[in-house]
Amino acid sequence: MMFAGLTSAYIVKSNQANWVEVQMPKAFWGSTAAILLSSLTMHLALRAFRARAFGRYRSLLVATLVLGAAFVVLQWVGFQWLWNHGVQFNGAGAGQFLYAIAGLHAVHVIGGIVALAVVFGRAFFGRTKSYNVVPVEVMATYWHFVDILWLYLLVFFVWIG
């Protein structure tokens, strides 16, 4: 709901006379590829866990973590590009919304990376072997949520913004 409210405010504010448009950094397209691939690896990790193929499950968790970190790094690169091209978190325009909305999404992804690290720790270093799929399913659902949310935001900024 927070993102729906922020994107709605973006639409309302974009009709003001002093509105300044923003070009999307190319790094955001790379981050999109990273998060899409990470969603696929998370899905495959869940399938591997259900099949009790724990070696493959662990490998896919590592891939998901690496791709999640790549997403955050590419977002940082994109924000640096914006900053260097004069798009800052002030004034009237799309820049302040882009920083706020994409920044909040990055916080959600970082939270997901922390949760993935916990799942990862249990997969590699857990003392007891638990075959409870629920934590992995919850992690996968959350990860797919941040993926779909990013796709919504990207489409919003490219077509609406």
Side-chain angles (χ1 to χ4, degrees), residues 18-154:
N18 61 349
W19 184 256
V20 178
E21 293 292 325
V22 171
Q23 180 183 356
M24 291 294 279
K26 291 189 186 341
F28 281 6
W29 295 103
S31 68
T32 301
I35 203 163
L36 285 172
L37 285 172
S38 75
S39 197
L40 175 64
T41 58
M42 187 68 232
H43 172 74
L44 294 173
L46 176 59
R47 285 181 55 187
F49 187 91
R50 286 181 178 150
R52 296 191 179 206
F54 295 112
R56 189 167 35 134
Y57 164 69
R58 290 180 186 108
S59 298
L60 289 163
L61 273 183
V62 169
T64 304
L65 269 169
V66 168
L67 289 165
F71 173 83
V72 172
V73 168
L74 287 166
Q75 289 283 292
W76 180 257
V77 169
F79 283 119
Q80 284 183 323
W81 184 89
L82 286 169
W83 190 268
N84 292 335
H85 285 83
V87 179
Q88 299 179 357
F89 192 73
N90 59 5
Q96 59 186 284
F97 280 96
L98 186 60
Y99 279 105
I101 294 170
L104 284 169
H105 180 265
V107 169
H108 283 81
V109 172
I110 291 168
I113 290 171
V114 169
L116 267 173
V118 170
V119 171
F120 173 84
R122 288 183 180 165
F124 279 90
F125 307 112
R127 290 184 189 181
T128 59
K129 297 298 179 196
S130 171
Y131 300 110
N132 183 5
V133 73
V134 174
V136 182
E137 287 175 339
V138 169
M139 183 65 248
T141 301
Y142 181 82
W143 199 254
H144 295 317
F145 166 75
V146 296
D147 182 6
I148 291 167
L149 180 59
W150 175 251
L151 291 176
Y152 161 73
L153 294 174
L154 184 69

